[in-house]
Amino acid sequence: MSATETSTDRRVFHPATLDLGDVLLRPWGRALDLPGGTVPALTAASADREIARWNPLRAADPAAAEAYLDRCDTGWADGTTAAFAITDAADGTLLGNVALLWTNQADGLATVGYWLLRTARGRGIATRATVAVTRWGVTTADARRIELCHDVDNDASCRVAVRSGFPYEGTLRASYRHVDGDYVDEHLHARLATDPDEG
């Protein structure tokens, strides 16, 4: 690091496409072109019962979906949020989402989250996408610690966290507010840049 470069200068997310073979992680934003349209794909995902339950997507109508894409573009532009659409490499259809965002950029602390459409579940895609984005965040943006939190009742997400190399660290009491207004406990998992690589 040069005398004028700070840790925050290095800790910036730059748009990239991550190729996992049968799956591509592509930056969300206005430029993303999904079969049938990106806005309709987002509104359909927002209506998915499991996504609405565990990780509500604020894209219930076209205006909200467009606002979501604008927020993604802003996150990429300022380097604070890396939101990827998980797409089928063969036909480009939307499978889900994985995102990495800084919670303390100067300290290298980030958090990762994901959701999958019903047709993509049970295939290991969330695990593979989480591992790929974590590696990318460590190697390209100098992430030091990446946290993963999920509702204590979300067993599927807990399995993804463990398989992705994020050990369980504890329970955060009343840490997340559901759309119904109730606060719920979350499991905290985390991974350090110095942890042994997964897979």
Side-chain angles (χ1 to χ4, degrees):
M1 185 166 63
S2 71
T4 58
E5 183 184 30
T6 68
S7 60
T8 305
D9 293 331
R10 293 177 291 126
R11 290 177 170 145
V12 174
F13 299 130
H14 297 287
T17 296
L18 308 183
D19 188 343
L20 308 187
D22 58 332
V23 170
L24 296 177
L25 309 185
R26 299 164 59 199
W28 279 112
R30 291 284 190 158
L32 181 65
D33 185 22
L34 297 174
T38 302
V39 167
L42 269 172
T43 56
S46 184
D48 182 285
R49 210 176 266 180
E50 290 297 297
I51 294 171
R53 178 180 181 193
W54 302 119
N55 193 5
L57 176 61
R58 294 180 293 167
D61 57 59
E66 289 171 0
Y68 175 89
L69 294 172
D70 288 340
R71 288 192 301 274
C72 291
D73 278 334
T74 298
W76 282 114
D78 64 21
T80 59
T81 305
F84 294 92
I86 305 171
T87 63
D88 186 285
D91 63 16
T93 57
L94 181 65
L95 302 175
N97 168 82
V98 63
L100 192 63
L101 62 128
W102 293 116
T103 52
N104 187 329
Q105 190 174 9
D107 194 37
L109 179 62
T111 188
V112 65
Y114 44 80
W115 50 259
L116 289 180
L117 294 169
R118 182 181 53 81
T119 54
R121 294 173 195 146
R123 295 161 47 188
I125 292 172
T127 299
R128 293 170 55 211
T130 301
V131 168
V133 165
T134 299
R135 285 178 181 157
W136 174 83
V138 168
T139 59
T140 68
D142 197 31
R144 179 188 63 80
R145 174 182 163 92
I146 299 176
E147 297 180 344
L148 189 164
C149 296
H150 63 81
D151 188 304
V152 293
D153 293 326
N154 191 342
D155 295 332
S157 197
C158 201
R159 290 190 296 271
V160 168
V162 172
R163 286 195 304 253
S164 300
F166 285 74
Y168 170 74
E169 292 191 343
T171 298
L172 304 172
R173 296 180 300 151
S175 61
Y176 181 77
R177 191 172 194 176
H178 269 301
V179 289
D180 63 8
D182 291 338
Y183 284 94
V184 298
D185 296 348
E186 292 182 293
H187 283 168
L188 169 64
H189 300 256
R191 178 168 181 78
L192 301 179
T194 54
D195 286 343
D197 199 16
E198 290 299 305

